[in-house]
Amino acid sequence: MSANTNVKTLRTILMMDAATCLVFGLLLCLGTVPLAGWLGLPTDLLFYAGLVLFPCAALMYFTGKQAQPNRYWVWLIVVGNVGWVVASFGLLALPTINPTMLGNAFVVVQAIAVIVLASIEYRQLATTAKIMAA
């Protein structure tokens, strides 16, 4: 696979990550009250988690729009995604949080989706760096 193909794939994944952050940010901010009832998660948690996703989406979008995404920004995105996953599972371990079965599933499924995106971003970044170094 060529460096150009890897860069294109990385840019595509970054744009997908940005789109999912934007959509989930809107969902969490605009649907806070009904989601809190269905998921058994605090409204403030949902709302502020949604707000956090907007600058993340912007960073992913602008990094993905670069002809050659800045590797440090991509690293920041990967680390941020891993942090989100750790926080998601940490949330479920808190004794003060009592999500419904749907809430547990929601947290786990979105965490899995985020770690999949982070692992693809990481692999594409690593592969691109190897190809360009050769």
Side-chain angles (χ1 to χ4, degrees):
M1 194 178 284
S2 72
N4 285 342
T5 303
N6 279 4
V7 168
K8 183 178 179 189
T9 302
L10 176 60
R11 292 176 63 212
T12 300
I13 293 299
L14 289 167
M15 297 306 270
M16 286 176 51
D17 206 351
T20 59
C21 282
L22 180 61
V23 169
F24 268 86
L26 288 169
L27 175 71
L28 293 174
C29 286
L30 299 177
T32 299
V33 173
L35 284 173
W38 297 328
L39 303 177
L41 297 171
T43 56
D44 286 348
L45 172 74
L46 293 172
F47 180 76
Y48 289 111
L51 281 183
V52 165
L53 292 174
F54 296 126
C56 296
L59 174 64
M60 293 165 183
Y61 175 81
F62 289 114
T63 303
K65 291 299 279 183
Q66 296 173 340
Q68 173 69 42
N70 181 299
R71 63 179 259 217
Y72 298 108
W73 290 116
V74 177
W75 267 110
L76 179 62
I77 291 165
V78 169
V79 169
N81 280 340
V82 170
W84 182 274
V85 171
V86 170
S88 295
F89 285 111
L91 172 76
L92 295 179
L94 292 174
T96 56
I97 303 292
N98 296 307
T100 62
M101 190 181 318
L102 180 61
N104 279 310
F106 177 82
V107 172
V108 170
V109 169
Q110 64 81 34
I112 291 169
V114 171
I115 202 65
V116 167
L117 286 170
S119 66
I120 295 169
E121 290 160 350
Y122 171 77
R123 283 194 308 255
Q124 290 303 315
L125 182 63
T127 304
T128 301
K130 285 180 189 175
I131 291 170
M132 295 182 92

